[in-house]
Amino acid sequence: MIDIKLLRAQPDAYRRAANVKGYKESLIDELLGVDADLLRARQELQDLKTKQNQAGKDIAKLKGSQKQDAIAEMAKLKPLAKAAQETIEQLEPKFHELMLLIPQVPDPAVPVGEDETGNVEVRRVGEPRRFDFQIRDHVALGEALGIIDIPRGVKLAGSRNFILRGAGAMLHQAVLRLATDTITARGFELMTVPVLVNESVMEGTGYFPVGRDEAYLCERDNQALVGTAEVPLTAYHSDEILEAADLPKTYAAVSTCFRREAGSAGKDTHGLYRIHYFDKVEQVVLCRAEEAESARWHETILANAEAVLRALELPYRVVEVCTGDMGQGKVRMYDIETWMPSRDCYSETHSASRFGDFQARRLNLRYRDEEGKIHFCHTLNNTVIASPRILIPLLELNQQADGSVTIPPALRPYMAGREVLK
């Protein structure tokens, strides 16, 4: 959620943010109009209550006809106060609804663009492997090795579902364990968190109302399945005031993630790239509301994810995400894209996001500084690893001419020393 005081002071900055992020600029003016009406009604009610209080004190000192006249005058204030209160009650829900729709102002350094085509490459690490034989994609490899079964996954749960078997399930767990060991070794506290949460938590982290169509809902219980452990990790300290000395909070979790992919009909339907459920190791940071501190942690969580990809010896690139592709609440965002031979391109496997105080305001997540002043925290998150999407480059880049797949050395300790799948 944005700071309404900043919006009042800098409306043009928010109009531009709406424009470059693909939102309607008219939302800004609509909110300002409702805000002005609400402020006016609240001031009117306050003035009327002040008059009523003063009149009550004056009446106690009067007698006779003067007292009756004063009582009659005070009675006229009651319907006016009631009308003002009713106006406030009508405007507050609309104000809250609009506040949830206004996008965060992006960092000035963020490239402007309409969609992913406007993202800017920052660096490349590693070289894509060149093959001297006809390669197979991850589905053909997985079926031949008996480790991926998509048809039966579809039979059980519909399109965009899958089953990992035997060594495939072990490989999936191996990458999650490698990522977990990497992030905990870097000082992040591992947590086990709910993946079915109250809708208020989804709203607090910015996934509702924008993005609601992407979530699986349990309407009977007013709950939703999360698309990332970012949601419960970030909301863990909601409605709390932390001490500055206890910041930053650095948390990580392994969780199953659920996404309807409602807006991706006909897109990336083959294989394991865009699916309805997957497992992910997520990292979340809660820090002071200082731009330099927040930016430093952004680079840190990005480096944590890169460390896992380097351990897996996978070629990747880092891109800075443009305004039109970064989402409502983000101040700045990087994607990591790993080379996938079957797609013949770098494809997204990680996202590192900095939100400023956008999520913290919605969650009422605050801290007290050394002088006793209360501030909203800054929040950040990034994928450490997500599987089975990462199995696409792992299988395809490590395949051999005979259809076997070499297991990267970093994963072998988690595979009981196994070096090859065949």
Side-chain angles (χ1 to χ4, degrees):
M1 185 177 294
I2 54 93
D3 183 347
I4 188 61
K5 293 179 181 178
L6 286 178
L7 177 63
R8 293 168 187 157
Q10 305 170 30
D12 286 342
Y14 286 89
R15 290 189 185 98
R16 179 182 181 277
N19 181 269
V20 299
K21 284 192 169 185
Y23 289 75
K24 295 178 180 178
E25 287 187 50
S26 59
L27 283 172
I28 309 303
D29 294 318
E30 187 178 358
L31 174 58
L32 287 171
V34 172
D35 178 52
D37 291 343
L38 186 57
L39 287 174
R40 190 159 42 245
R42 285 171 173 165
Q43 186 60 55
E44 181 181 352
L45 180 61
Q46 182 60 47
D47 291 344
L48 288 167
K49 286 183 175 180
T50 300
K51 289 180 180 180
Q52 286 175 319
N53 291 337
Q54 186 60 50
K57 294 177 182 178
D58 293 341
I59 288 170
K61 301 175 184 178
L62 299 175
K63 294 181 179 180
S65 61
Q66 286 186 324
K67 186 171 186 176
Q68 294 305 313
D69 290 343
I71 291 173
E73 285 299 315
M74 188 172 75
K76 295 178 182 178
L77 299 177
K78 187 173 181 179
L80 295 176
K82 181 181 178 182
Q85 182 63 47
E86 289 175 349
T87 299
I88 291 170
E89 291 173 357
Q90 290 172 358
L91 289 173
E92 282 182 336
K94 184 62 176 177
F95 175 81
H96 181 71
E97 175 188 334
L98 289 169
M99 283 288 284
L100 293 177
L101 298 176
I102 305 300
Q104 175 74 294
V105 175
D107 188 287
V110 174
V112 175
E114 293 185 4
D115 52 35
E116 65 273 8
T117 60
N119 296 345
V120 176
E121 184 175 299
V122 176
R123 60 179 170 273
R124 293 189 182 193
V125 178
E127 290 292 330
R129 178 183 171 189
R130 295 184 178 182
F131 295 89
D132 56 6
F133 57 88
Q134 185 67 38
I135 67 168
R136 306 179 189 183
D137 70 14
H138 64 285
V139 176
L141 287 166
E143 289 177 344
L145 293 169
I147 62 174
I148 298 174
D149 189 339
I150 291 176
R152 288 188 177 91
V154 171
K155 179 180 72 171
L156 295 179
S159 64
R160 298 185 187 274
N161 282 284
F162 64 95
I163 290 172
L164 299 177
R165 301 178 55 192
M170 290 179 65
L171 190 64
H172 169 76
Q173 293 296 327
V175 296
L176 297 174
R177 291 171 64 192
L178 171 66
T180 301
D181 287 350
T182 300
I183 199 66
T184 54
R186 292 177 174 229
F188 281 65
E189 180 183 351
L190 187 63
M191 302 175 72
T192 298
V193 291
V195 296
L196 181 63
V197 300
N198 298 328
E199 287 199 21
S200 60
V201 176
M202 298 290 279
E203 182 179 291
T205 48
Y207 286 92
F208 287 0
V210 178
R212 184 183 177 87
D213 287 346
E214 291 296 324
Y216 285 103
L217 302 177
C218 301
E219 292 96 332
R220 185 171 61 182
D221 301 306
N222 196 32
Q223 293 184 314
L225 289 167
V226 301
T228 167
E230 167 204 337
V231 173
L233 286 176
T234 307
Y236 181 63
H237 290 291
S238 59
D239 293 319
E240 295 181 19
I241 299 177
L242 306 174
E243 297 300 325
D246 296 329
L247 296 177
K249 296 288 189 182
T250 55
Y251 297 136
V254 187
S255 76
T256 303
C257 308
F258 303 88
R259 298 184 185 178
R260 289 185 62 231
E261 297 291 354
S264 61
K267 183 180 180 182
D268 299 320
T269 57
H270 180 70
L272 300 177
Y273 188 78
R274 196 176 297 278
I275 48 184
H276 287 310
Y277 81 97
F278 54 94
D279 290 318
K280 181 155 66 85
V281 183
E282 184 76 1
Q283 52 184 321
V284 162
V285 176
L286 315 177
C287 69
R288 290 171 177 258
E290 299 171 1
E291 289 299 315
E293 173 81 348
S294 186
R296 183 178 69 81
W297 275 106
H298 200 185
E299 297 298 324
T300 298
I301 60 177
L302 182 63
N304 293 342
E306 290 187 72
V308 176
L309 287 178
R310 286 197 301 273
L312 294 172
E313 302 177 44
L314 295 175
Y316 66 90
R317 71 172 187 167
V318 177
V319 299
E320 175 146 18
V321 177
C322 73
T323 53
D325 194 35
M326 71 189 306
Q328 180 192 12
K330 297 166 186 177
V331 173
R332 200 167 190 182
M333 179 179 178
Y334 296 106
D335 275 353
I336 300 177
E337 300 176 347
T338 307
W339 181 259
M340 299 184 185
S342 63
R343 296 169 65 87
D344 195 30
C345 65
Y346 291 95
S347 297
E348 180 200 334
T349 51
H350 302 69
S351 291
S353 303
R354 176 159 66 96
F355 286 84
D357 61 5
F358 182 84
Q359 291 178 315
R361 285 182 177 277
R362 297 167 76 119
L363 292 166
N364 198 28
L365 168 54
R366 298 154 293 163
Y367 71 94
R368 181 184 292 105
D369 68 17
E370 291 79 2
E371 297 177 354
K373 295 180 180 179
I374 305 298
H375 308 269
F376 288 101
C377 296
H378 279 194
T379 66
L380 306 95
N381 64 71
N382 185 19
T383 315
V384 187
I385 207 74
S387 183
R389 182 177 286 192
I390 200 65
L391 299 188
I392 299 174
L394 268 176
L395 293 172
E396 293 179 356
L397 286 166
N398 289 290
Q399 66 180 293
Q400 305 304 317
D402 63 358
S404 63
V405 174
T406 302
I407 298 172
L411 294 180
R412 292 173 188 173
Y414 304 101
M415 298 283 292
R418 193 168 183 175
E419 298 182 2
V420 64
L421 304 178
K422 59 183 179 181

